Amino acid sequence: MRTLKYHEQKLLKKVDFLQWKHDHTLKENQILRRYHITNRDDYIKYNRICGLIHKLAHKLEALDSKDPYRIKMTGKLIDHLFKMGVIATKKTLLQCAQLPASAFCRRRLPVVMVRLKMAETTKEAVALIEQGHVRVGPEVMRDPAFLVTRTMEDFVTWVDNSKIRKNILKFHDKLDDYELLGN
């Protein structure tokens, strides 16, 4: 093969001919951008989990509809996914068979913060989480990939010593006099 000319090298600098089959799809990039996922491996894990759930749902569908094992396991699967917040209702096994990876992305802490109106954008929410302004229950979260279940959603708050929390309380005239002395 001949050596490439300067302009050809410049054009092909970002093209990898060795791994072109593993090139990431447009849909994947849109989801990574929409949910502000910086680590692509997280999205790959969500895809794997969805694949395993699809496989399990199809195996359960293959069983007889009156089989007690199928009824019990279907109930457990649907209940678990509903408690996680990945599916909206506890209706059918069909929801599990069509579960997208973006359902797990919607349960990430930054997305939940945007839904709770704690931040305007997911990018801003990720920055607040990484800076240590957010806690879930008693624990301070610094990982934006943390998945928030339906029960944990009520416990997403600001850290006690966060300036953002103090500004919100001051705005609503609910700031304690003892906290004002600390400033």
Side-chain angles (χ1 to χ4, degrees), residues 31-37 46 85 101-127 129 134 143-148 153 156:
I31 290 173
L32 292 175
R33 211 173 314 119
R34 181 184 309 140
Y35 298 109
H36 199 72
I37 300 172
Y46 301 149
S102 60
F104 284 97
C105 295
R106 281 185 232 116
R107 298 309 302 177
R108 290 169 58 96
L109 184 56
V111 179
V112 171
M113 284 179 60
V114 170
R115 199 174 328 114
L116 293 174
K117 307 266 192 242
M118 291 176 73
E120 287 186 32
T121 62
T122 53
K123 185 176 183 179
E124 183 182 315
V126 167
I129 292 166
V134 181
D143 182 21
F146 182 76
L147 293 179
V148 181
E153 199 170 314
V156 176

Side-chain angles (χ1 to χ4, degrees), residues 128 132-134 158-169 179:
L128 291 171
H133 289 286
V134 181
W158 300 108
V159 175
D160 292 333
N161 58 359
S162 174
K163 296 265 187 186
I164 297 168
R165 180 181 171 272
K166 289 179 183 174
N167 286 339
I168 291 170
L169 290 175
E179 289 182 20

Side-chain angles (χ1 to χ4, degrees), residues 23-39:
D23 215 7
H24 306 292
T25 63
L26 179 65
K27 181 181 176 186
E28 181 178 338
N29 289 330
Q30 286 174 340
I31 290 173
L32 292 175
R33 211 173 314 119
R34 181 184 309 140
Y35 298 109
H36 199 72
I37 300 172
T38 53
N39 189 359

Side-chain angles (χ1 to χ4, degrees), residues 11-182:
L11 288 171
L12 297 175
K13 186 192 303 185
K14 296 182 179 177
V15 179
D16 187 6
F17 289 112
L18 299 176
Q19 295 183 351
W20 63 274
K21 288 183 180 178
H22 303 291
D23 215 7
H24 306 292
T25 63
L26 179 65
K27 181 181 176 186
E28 181 178 338
N29 289 330
Q30 286 174 340
I31 290 173
L32 292 175
R33 211 173 314 119
R34 181 184 309 140
Y35 298 109
H36 199 72
I37 300 172
T38 53
N39 189 359
R40 189 179 293 273
D41 293 335
D42 290 340
Y43 182 74
I44 292 169
K45 288 176 189 174
Y46 301 149
N47 262 335
R48 271 197 205 117
I49 292 169
C50 287
L52 292 172
I53 292 170
H54 293 175
K55 196 183 293 184
L56 180 62
H58 289 302
K59 285 184 179 182
L60 287 172
E61 283 176 347
L63 295 174
D64 183 33
S65 62
K66 293 181 176 144
D67 185 13
Y69 179 77
R70 176 189 169 166
I71 295 168
K72 178 182 169 188
M73 286 299 144
T74 301
K76 279 187 175 183
L77 178 65
I78 290 173
D79 188 48
H80 188 69
L81 291 176
F82 180 76
K83 284 181 182 176
M84 283 181 65
V86 178
I87 57 175
T89 58
K90 292 183 178 182
K91 288 188 179 176
T92 62
L93 194 59
L94 184 64
Q95 292 174 316
C96 302
Q98 297 174 347
L99 187 69
S102 60
F104 284 97
C105 295
R106 281 185 232 116
R107 298 309 302 177
R108 290 169 58 96
L109 184 56
V111 179
V112 171
M113 284 179 60
V114 170
R115 199 174 328 114
L116 293 174
K117 307 266 192 242
M118 291 176 73
E120 287 186 32
T121 62
T122 53
K123 185 176 183 179
E124 183 182 315
V126 167
L128 291 171
I129 292 166
E130 288 173 347
Q131 292 168 4
H133 289 286
V134 181
R135 66 182 169 102
V136 178
E139 293 186 35
V140 176
M141 288 296 146
R142 291 188 181 268
D143 182 21
F146 182 76
L147 293 179
V148 181
T149 62
R150 286 184 196 271
T151 55
M152 279 194 258
E153 199 170 314
D154 297 334
F155 301 106
V156 176
T157 57
W158 300 108
V159 175
D160 292 333
N161 58 359
S162 174
K163 296 265 187 186
I164 297 168
R165 180 181 171 272
K166 289 179 183 174
N167 286 339
I168 291 170
L169 290 175
K170 192 182 290 185
F171 179 77
H172 292 296
D173 291 329
K174 294 182 180 180
L175 191 62
D176 191 14
D177 293 335
Y178 180 74
E179 289 182 20
L180 284 174
L181 292 174

